Amino acid sequence: MPTNRRQILIGLIVSSLLVTNALSADFQPADPINPDKTSSEPGLNKIKTIVVIYAENRSFDNLYGLFPGANGIANGLANPESYLQRDRDGKTVLPTLPPVWNSDDPNWSFVAHLPNKPFQIDAAPGGTPGDTGANVSSPDLVHRFYNHQMQINGGRNDQFAVYSDAGGLSMGYYDGAKMAMWQLAKHYTLADNFFMGAFGGSFLNHFWLVCACTPSMATAPEGRTAILDDKTGLLRVESSSGLHSAPYYPGDFNFTPQDKITQRSYAVNTTQPPFQPSGTPPAQDGDPRLANQNAKGSAAVLSPQTEKTIGDTLSEKRIEWAWYAGAWREALVDGQQSPDKPRKVIYNKGSGAANFQSHHQPFNYFSRFDPATPDGALQRAAHLKDYADFQTDIANGTLPAVVFYKPQGSLNQHPGYTDVMSGDAHIAEVVKQLQGSPQWPNMYIIVTYDENGGFWDHVAPPAGDRWGPGSRVPAIFISPFVKKQHVDHTVYDTTSIIQFITRRFDLQPLPGVRQSMGDLINTLE
């Protein structure tokens, strides 16, 4: 290495170490807050570790519609108005369910011409369990912001089948009694009125989990603004009957039109993070830690976000927290490769691949975690961790006070690229490890789903705001302190998790949290 380059490199290393040491001092307050005393409520103070496990894309009826004592499929079937699907005119009741438009797999051909009602996927008239059972990946179903609202149709839930690229599959459900998590739900508390925080997909709902906010930019990337119908304010559709073809949306993009009040466009469907790991590679000869800021089209990245998150409010009170993600370290390496090299981990659906989903990592969108800044690098090291770190901390009893865990793509239960049972077994194993941890006697575990994945649910979402809530999703609460063998009918949504953490640690409330939703206190004994 030439002398001048060596001197520059040494200088940069020394400067970085000086900054790092200075910033590290900020993380060691002279008078740290004792998390055991942050709440004035003695019952809550017994909970010292909150763990949130966030699975993927299942409505309540899809997995727990047959759960004893829950408001499930039987209640839906008792009232035809809660399940009969209507055509795109909003009036005509379909004589049968539409085909699964987005799949040529003959195992799913049985869906076409089924009666217009919910059906069990893993039972007759479907194929054998090996063809369509919960251990087989089904076709994916559209689950996007505007589409979801069109499916809900003002709370009638009667246009799921006609506004889905998977047609009648949207009405399918499983007998979940074989799931390990079902058995845990029987022993602890299952909530049957827990709603996804925002309409649409995983990207937006992960933001609502950590900040109760919708990400935005001053100007949407070129060509990425949704084309809406002037009358409905939802997507423009150019399709005839839902029995004849899949819906066609000429402008189903990821940003809203610019808001007249805030002068910002909101990212409501998947947009890639500005930092690695990202589905957008680094720029050629650019900083490998960053996604290409000049990428166009669907690869265009979201600008770094600055809204306050639950992580910020926890840090303000010096409460330790972490987001653990399956395959995080592998994805970091994968994302920093030269852009001309294929990704082996990020969005790789190949057999045996982790299939890391970049848009499932919400903190990686925030400027606080910019890896190109010394402070951002420190924040990432402190709070964004790998599944291997999670296992170590569980075993050693060193989990922070608030934990978020996101399974890797192959284990998250998402239709289209994985199945129900593999993710169920993985999450149940994680719960078992947590129950064996030294921290278990003072632990509270939440296992829930980001969104419905395009699957129908018979319960109308409660009134909220322009962003949600959306459809019901499963939520299971596991702790020495929760009610046992209990079904909780309290109305919750994803922001209830933020409410619970905020109440437990006496944090500054986040403005987007819906105070009309419960705060999970009713799950406690």
Side-chain angles (χ1 to χ4, degrees), residues 2 7 25 61 68 80 98 108 137 191 208 256 288 298 327 355 371 376 392 403 434 446 458 488 512 525:
Q7 291 172 339
D61 278 339
W108 298 98
S137 176
W208 276 78
T256 67
S298 61
N355 195 15
T392 298
V403 169
L434 289 166
I446 305 165
H458 81 275
D488 184 358
E525 288 182 321

Side-chain angles (χ1 to χ4, degrees), residues 31-329:
D31 185 20
I33 292 174
N34 184 351
D36 293 349
K37 300 179 180 179
T38 49
S39 173
S40 60
E41 302 171 70
L44 276 180
N45 280 337
K46 295 178 182 178
I47 298 172
K48 298 180 181 179
T49 308
I50 298 173
V51 180
V52 181
I53 301 175
Y54 214 38
E56 284 287 309
N57 291 45
R58 301 288 170 178
S59 73
F60 185 90
D61 278 339
N62 178 250
L63 288 189
Y64 288 87
L66 300 179
F67 194 89
N71 180 10
I73 297 294
N75 289 344
L77 290 175
N79 176 20
E81 286 301 310
S82 74
Y83 68 78
L84 285 173
Q85 298 295 287
R86 286 173 167 78
D87 214 335
R88 294 180 189 132
D89 61 5
K91 300 176 182 179
T92 306
V93 175
L94 298 177
T96 61
L97 292 180
V100 182
W101 300 111
N102 63 348
S103 176
D104 295 325
D105 185 342
N107 288 321
W108 298 98
S109 62
F110 74 92
V111 175
H113 310 304
L114 281 177
N116 183 355
K117 61 190 302 185
F119 68 94
Q120 188 173 327
I121 296 173
D122 52 345
T128 65
D131 295 328
T132 61
N135 62 335
V136 175
S137 176
S138 76
D140 202 357
L141 304 86
V142 68
H143 42 281
R144 293 168 67 81
F145 180 72
Y146 291 112
N147 316 65
H148 188 200
Q149 295 172 72
M150 296 161 76
Q151 291 177 313
I152 291 172
N153 193 22
R156 290 178 286 275
N157 293 326
D158 61 359
Q159 293 191 294
F160 271 78
V162 296
Y163 286 124
S164 177
D165 58 351
L169 180 59
S170 60
M171 302 299 292
Y173 64 90
Y174 295 92
D175 179 356
K178 294 181 180 179
M179 297 189 304
M181 290 305 303
W182 178 291
Q183 303 309 315
L184 283 165
K186 285 173 63 177
H187 185 72
Y188 293 99
T189 290
L190 173 73
D192 67 353
N193 270 318
F194 191 105
F195 296 83
M196 53 195 273
F199 302 117
S202 300
F203 164 79
L204 185 54
N205 277 282
H206 281 73
F207 273 88
W208 276 78
L209 172 67
V210 302
C211 68
C213 67
T214 298
S216 65
M217 293 175 66
T219 304
E222 183 178 357
R224 303 309 298 170
T225 300
I227 300 173
L228 306 183
D229 184 286
D230 292 336
K231 295 181 180 179
T232 66
L234 301 175
L235 284 176
R236 185 182 301 172
V237 186
E238 295 180 1
S239 301
S240 58
S241 170
L243 290 176
H244 297 158
S245 65
Y248 171 64
Y249 311 101
D252 186 8
F253 298 117
N254 47 333
F255 280 82
T256 67
Q258 190 175 66
D259 187 282
K260 293 180 180 179
I261 297 176
T262 64
Q263 299 297 303
R264 297 185 72 79
S265 291
Y266 293 87
V268 291
N269 293 318
T270 299
T271 307
Q272 289 302 313
F275 315 127
Q276 296 300 337
S278 174
T280 300
Q284 193 70 46
D285 300 322
D287 189 329
R289 297 169 296 181
L290 307 178
N292 184 355
Q293 309 298 299
N294 297 315
K296 306 296 182 183
S298 61
V301 300
L302 190 67
S303 61
Q305 299 295 292
T306 58
E307 295 286 335
K308 180 167 282 191
T309 71
I310 188 68
D312 295 324
T313 59
L314 285 164
S315 293
E316 287 170 358
K317 291 294 293 281
R318 301 166 195 158
I319 305 298
E320 293 185 351
W321 65 276
W323 179 283
Y324 298 89
W328 172 253
R329 290 179 191 161

Side-chain angles (χ1 to χ4, degrees), residues 5-19:
R5 288 183 63 190
R6 183 181 298 109
Q7 291 172 339
I8 292 171
L9 179 60
I10 292 173
L12 287 171
I13 293 172
V14 172
S15 298
S16 177
L17 287 172
L18 290 173
V19 172

